[in-house]
Amino acid sequence: MTKFYITTAISYVNDDPHIGHMYEAIVTDVIARHRRRMGDDVRFLTGTDEHGQKIERAAAKEGIPPIELADRVVRTHHEVQKKLNVTPDDFIRTTEARHRIGVLELIRRIQERNPDDIYLGEHSGWYCQSEETFIPENQVKDGTPGPGGTGTDQDGHKVEWTTERNYFFALSRYADRLLAYYREHPTFVAPPTRLNEVVSFVSQGLRDLSISRSTIKWGIPFPGNPDHVIYVWMDALTNYIAALGFGSEEHSQFDRYWPADMHIIGKDIVRFHAVYWPAFLMAAGVELPKQVVAHGFWLRDQVKISKSLGNVVRPYNIIEDFGADALRYYVTREMVFGQDQDYSDQSLLTRYNADLANDLGNTLSRAIKMSDSYFGGRTPPERCFVNDLRDVAEKVVPEYLRQMEELAFQRAIEAAWELLNAINSYIVTREPWKLFKEQGASGALSRIIWDTLEALRIVWVMMAPFIPASTREALSRLGADPEGIDAEALEWGGLAASVPVRVADPIFPRADVALYIGEKKTMDETMPPAESTPAEAVPEVAPITIDQFMAVDLRVADVRAAERVPKSKKLIRLSVFTGDAERTIVAGIGTRYAPEELVGRKVVIVANLQPAKLMGVESNGMVLAASIDGDPILLSVDPNVPAGTKVR
Ligand code: MSP
């Protein structure tokens, strides 16, 4: 069994977790779940970074001791993780004894192996409290160096000219060793753009690093000099080994899991993980982690979401109303791993409707309904091992696994969708409802429905790390083992014949996006009101995104019956067939068309329009027609296109 140790960054406890922290926890959980089901011995660590000035100040502002603030925020982290179905194996707090033991042991080992690497010295420079780090001179704007000087850094944070007599770590001695290490381990930092940044930073030469503070009380006392506390980053980074028992008598976890296979972090803290951390470990003679992987930022209106910028997003209402999987799916599907992405409730719900409610959820309901009604509430009796869907599954599963390996979640999900789309085309072209009418529950029908259910089972198994709760539910409705999501479950043939299926309400009930956004305040409540901007000329037809367009379910339908709506010149009541069912649509085309000429015609309809009553008749959809001065002309469709086919 291969061991796999994966960690998130540990979050500061000066504020509750927001979408950025949730994202990091979710992607790490996705990777951990995937590795676990592929048979690895996984250890997933997360936690909180509780020392330092940031926390000291936030607590003072509230008039409470720092530990009280930390305890409160940690509780929120646990609650949020539970809600999100994030299941770490361990959660470390830097205020725990095991953490302190690990930090002190790291310093002890450095002092023992390289006595000159830690020394007492003096340093002056621009210090940024928000980042808890010194900022290079060339990154400071509007500041005159010298006592009392202030300025701003590149991110707009205040910096202060600070002189400190502190303990230093001889980081400058490690530049060459680090560069050699990056050369020999080109995947040490991912994605490659981040490695390039690190290499260029280190190539300019490194300055020694101040690793203690005498101005702060809230921290781990420096060994041998309790007037100083250990610099927060040296403290925080050590969590990754302290959690495994580094420095304790009981260090079997350290022996088993270290070095870490992946440190998952945001792109803002790459330097700490890819420069300072390996240098500390080299000095202490501890093995280096295998990989530091940096993700991008969640933005709000193109600006990074963060407490200090006051634009945080905590989509608690969405999780409450649509389930954790709605958020888990959105953040992994929408963001290209490594790049930045703008967050909005609107885009989340649009994607939820189009992908989860419509594609994934509807296909499942439709297939289970057919099996239920054709085969007496069970999966079909005859299974099938040679068919088109199996070929597609056997093509997309390896592709999916490759993309999961690369952390290209978006592409992995796209691979699952290739199979899902193939299933939908398969249903439309095989027309099982016709077969049932003609032959009843025949062997041929059995094989078609079983193929459909089996391919769907594989789609859901692929989706398991992303949407674990819904997957469990879907598999149990399909008659499959809800826990069966391992590597073997990705192979064709897992679904049993003649086992009960379960017809139930949609797993992902559709969201009325406009209504929801209007009614609920899903963004963070502490958000400052948006500043009013001058009115802009609104184009006649505002452009929409591809996602908004994809949310419209356009389908080909056969007109089976048509009659005028009594007392109306314009309205015709149509009965249309959409591939698996008939529905009524009331169309305002009576001024141009007679009912008789409509029967047998193919039309394009909007299939997911909310039902509406027109002259007392409920209409379930809309027929598309061009309008020349109000005169409707139906769109024509090639007669070979089967009813139910999607129009894009
Ligand atoms: N405490 C340090 C990490 C120490 S690790 C040894 C820290 N904490 S943090 O709370 O500011 O951030 C925790 C993680 O969340 C970091 O990886 C950070 O990059 C990530 N995010 C914070 N805001 C983010 C977004 N807006 N978007 C995505 N992730 C971002 O840094």
Side-chain angles (χ1 to χ4, degrees):
M1 210 184 209
T2 318
K3 70 92 191 165
F4 186 77
Y5 181 37
I6 185 164
T7 66
T8 66
I10 50 172
S11 302
Y12 292 127
V13 289
N14 56 337
D15 195 23
D16 287 337
H18 60 61
I19 183 80
H21 307 118
M22 293 183 193
Y23 172 71
E24 193 168 295
I26 291 171
V27 287
T28 311
D29 187 66
V30 167
I31 302 169
R33 281 177 188 268
H34 178 61
R35 291 289 182 147
R36 260 183 229 126
R37 56 100 165 254
M38 298 308 283
D40 286 357
D41 168 18
V42 173
R43 185 133 193 110
F44 165 15
L45 172 74
T46 187
T48 40
D49 185 355
E50 304 186 9
H51 289 134
Q53 194 156 43
K54 216 192 270 266
I55 319 301
E56 203 173 47
R57 286 192 174 178
K61 222 168 151 188
E62 289 195 34
I64 54 173
I67 193 68
E68 205 175 307
L69 174 65
D71 285 347
R72 193 181 74 207
V73 175
V74 166
R75 270 197 300 278
T76 314
H77 271 277
H78 287 309
E79 276 164 31
V80 168
Q81 285 180 6
K82 197 160 167 229
K83 277 201 170 95
L84 290 175
N85 243 320
V86 166
T87 52
D89 299 292
D90 193 4
F91 188 106
I92 188 162
R93 301 180 54 175
T94 56
T95 46
E96 285 176 64
R98 61 174 174 157
H99 178 75
R100 192 179 57 248
I101 291 168
V103 175
L104 295 178
E105 175 65 8
L106 183 74
I107 293 180
R108 194 193 66 75
R109 289 210 196 174
I110 296 174
Q111 287 172 326
E112 184 182 86
R113 286 174 58 96
N114 294 290
D116 299 338
D117 274 3
I118 293 180
Y119 62 91
L120 201 57
E122 191 166 282
H123 171 69
S124 295
W126 292 112
Y127 189 73
C128 172
Q129 246 146 33
S130 173
E131 302 289 319
E132 308 230 29
T133 187
F134 279 94
I135 305 289
E137 184 96 43
N138 60 3
Q139 288 177 18
V140 174
K141 287 183 285 186
D142 329 315
T144 317
T150 58
T152 44
D153 73 1
Q154 285 173 327
D155 299 323
H157 297 131
K158 187 177 168 201
V159 294
E160 290 166 39
W161 187 260
T162 311
T163 300
E164 290 191 333
R165 186 165 169 73
N166 286 331
Y167 289 93
F168 281 79
F169 171 72
L171 185 65
S172 55
R173 292 189 195 148
Y174 287 84
D176 290 343
R177 267 175 276 180
L178 286 168
L179 288 170
Y181 192 82
Y182 305 143
R183 259 195 312 277
E184 284 155 25
H185 303 84
T187 57
F188 176 60
V189 181
T193 44
R194 302 285 161 230
L195 176 68
N196 295 342
E197 285 166 15
V198 169
V199 169
S200 110
F201 174 76
V202 178
S203 303
Q204 289 165 27
L206 293 172
R207 286 209 295 202
D208 288 355
L209 183 70
S210 147
I211 54 160
S212 77
R213 298 283 182 273
S214 55
T215 47
I216 306 170
K217 293 275 154 292
W218 183 234
I220 301 174
F222 203 88
N225 191 343
D227 290 342
H228 288 243
V229 296
I230 296 166
Y231 170 49
V232 274
W233 273 102
M234 183 167 215
D235 171 339
L237 287 160
T238 311
N239 87 88
Y240 302 128
I241 50 177
L244 298 176
F246 177 77
S248 302
E249 272 173 32
E250 172 40 41
H251 49 74
S252 56
Q253 303 277 33
F254 179 77
D255 301 340
R256 179 161 155 197
Y257 290 110
W258 192 256
D261 294 85
M262 264 184 207
H263 288 318
I264 302 284
I265 56 162
K267 65 180 187 181
D268 53 335
I269 54 174
V270 171
R271 189 194 307 170
F272 301 100
H273 284 79
V275 182
Y276 298 177
W277 181 225
F280 295 154
L281 293 170
M282 280 175 180
V286 177
E287 245 185 293
L288 268 50
K290 290 193 190 147
Q291 199 176 34
V292 172
V293 181
H295 60 75
F297 287 153
W298 281 94
L299 314 173
R300 177 102 182 261
D301 303 324
Q302 301 306 321
V303 175
K304 184 194 171 197
I305 287 168
S306 83
K307 174 180 165 60
S308 52
L309 299 173
N311 62 348
V312 290
V313 172
R314 298 187 180 95
Y316 293 142
N317 281 341
I318 297 243
I319 303 169
E320 215 54 63
D321 296 338
F322 299 96
D325 286 349
L327 182 70
R328 290 178 66 108
Y329 176 75
Y330 171 73
V331 294
T332 42
R333 172 66 182 78
E334 197 74 359
M335 186 181 239
V336 176
F337 189 85
Q339 292 178 18
D340 294 350
Q341 176 66 45
D342 216 64
Y343 176 91
S344 82
D345 287 345
Q346 171 105 26
S347 65
L348 186 152
L349 292 177
T350 304
R351 201 162 256 301
Y352 167 85
N353 272 348
D355 296 5
L356 296 183
N358 217 36
D359 293 350
L360 197 57
N362 276 353
T363 313
L364 180 82
S365 305
R366 203 174 166 198
I368 292 182
K369 243 182 239 158
M370 288 194 281
S371 197
D372 179 66
S373 63
Y374 303 157
F375 297 99
R378 294 181 171 267
T379 57
E382 233 177 272
R383 308 199 301 160
C384 178
F385 288 84
V386 184
N387 60 75
D388 300 352
L389 286 183
R390 179 179 182 166
D391 295 344
V392 179
E394 288 180 349
K395 188 186 97 186
V396 304
V397 167
E399 173 65 9
Y400 160 86
L401 291 173
R402 228 184 342 270
Q403 301 298 354
M404 289 300 281
E405 224 25 60
E406 300 279 313
L407 311 185
F409 305 121
Q410 205 185 34
R411 286 202 221 114
I413 293 173
E414 274 166 11
W417 247 248
E418 199 179 324
L419 181 55
L420 186 62
N421 292 337
I423 295 170
N424 275 313
S425 310
Y426 186 78
I427 298 175
V428 168
T429 49
R430 304 291 154 124
E431 300 185 308
W433 47 89
K434 240 189 197 165
L435 216 58
F436 182 66
K437 251 190 202 158
E438 290 163 11
Q439 313 175 351
S442 63
L445 182 68
S446 176
R447 291 189 292 274
I448 290 173
I449 299 293
W450 186 84
D451 287 349
T452 305
L453 297 178
E454 171 61 358
L456 264 173
R457 184 190 64 78
I458 293 177
V459 169
W460 282 91
V461 171
M462 285 194 263
M463 292 307 293
F466 302 101
I467 49 173
S470 319
T471 299
R472 228 172 287 127
E473 175 61 20
L475 291 179
S476 93
R477 289 184 186 190
L478 277 168
D481 172 10
E483 306 306 326
I485 53 153
D486 55 9
E488 206 182 308
L490 288 164
E491 287 169 21
W492 190 265
L495 187 68
S498 301
V499 291
V501 292
R502 189 156 43 85
V503 176
D505 288 343
I507 291 191
F508 304 111
R510 285 191 70 78
D512 185 328
V513 183
L515 192 74
Y516 192 83
I517 303 280
E519 272 183 0
K520 295 259 181 172
K521 200 171 168 198
T522 57
M523 297 295 194
D524 188 83
E525 308 214 326
T526 57
M527 264 280 302
E531 277 178 28
S532 57
T533 44
E536 275 177 358
V538 180
E540 211 169 81
V541 177
I544 59 167
T545 63
I546 186 76
D547 287 339
Q548 287 168 317
F549 172 70
M550 294 307 250
V552 182
D553 189 12
L554 294 175
R555 292 196 183 251
V556 171
D558 291 338
V559 178
R560 293 256 167 108
E563 59 178 7
R564 287 196 181 274
V565 172
K567 296 194 201 128
S568 172
K569 268 196 210 147
K570 260 172 86 176
L571 297 183
I572 293 189
R573 173 199 184 124
L574 303 170
S575 187
V576 300
F577 178 66
T578 53
D580 55 352
E582 284 196 18
R583 60 165 83 193
T584 299
I585 295 184
V586 179
I589 51 175
T591 48
R592 183 173 184 102
Y593 296 96
E596 316 71 81
E597 59 178 317
L598 294 169
V599 178
R601 221 188 136 121
K602 285 189 189 294
V603 287
V604 179
I605 66 160
V606 179
N608 61 341
L609 202 62
Q610 283 210 326
K613 274 206 169 156
L614 298 169
M615 304 254 327
V617 184
E618 188 178 276
S619 177
N620 290 287
M622 184 172 113
V623 174
L624 293 192
S627 172
I628 304 175
D629 292 332
D631 188 17
I633 298 168
L634 288 171
L635 300 188
S636 53
V637 181
D638 187 311
N640 293 322
V641 181
T645 306
K646 247 181 173 298
V647 176
R648 298 204 152 162

